[in-house]
Amino acid sequence: MSEVLPETIPVRPDERIDVGRLMEWLEDRLPGAGGSPKVSQFSRGKANLTYLLDFGDGTEYVLRRPPLGPVAPGAHDMGREHRVLSTLWRA
């Protein structure tokens, strides 16, 4: 029987994000992104880093970023991923 992992975990120390800078950038760009969210990290996935931003009022957002360190050209293209996901959600 396989081990069941939690969906989210505390952010790994070497994969932390600067929440203050993130919130400054999101302030006028993302509805409901007010205050300082509780940030956790999704426990699965090996490539792009994926975080849960929980604003405590039922508003939650997922933040994805490329892995840290050297990345091959064309790999982990967040712009491409955004274009694909922005289209697929309608299906």
Side-chain angles (χ1 to χ4, degrees), residues 60-75:
E60 296 179 332
Y61 288 104
V62 173
L63 172 69
R64 289 178 53 85
R65 62 168 292 171
L68 305 171
V71 176

Side-chain angles (χ1 to χ4, degrees), residues 67-82:
L68 305 171
V71 176
H76 309 288
D77 184 336
M78 296 283 95
R80 178 181 60 218
E81 182 172 315
H82 176 264

Side-chain angles (χ1 to χ4, degrees), residues 10-40:
V11 177
R12 295 177 191 105
D14 58 336
E15 297 175 350
R16 289 190 187 120
I17 57 174
D18 184 333
V19 177
R21 283 185 59 202
L22 174 64
M23 295 315 300
E24 284 177 22
W25 189 84
L26 288 178
E27 186 176 11
D28 297 326
R29 292 178 169 91
L30 192 61
S36 184
K38 175 184 174 210
V39 180
S40 54

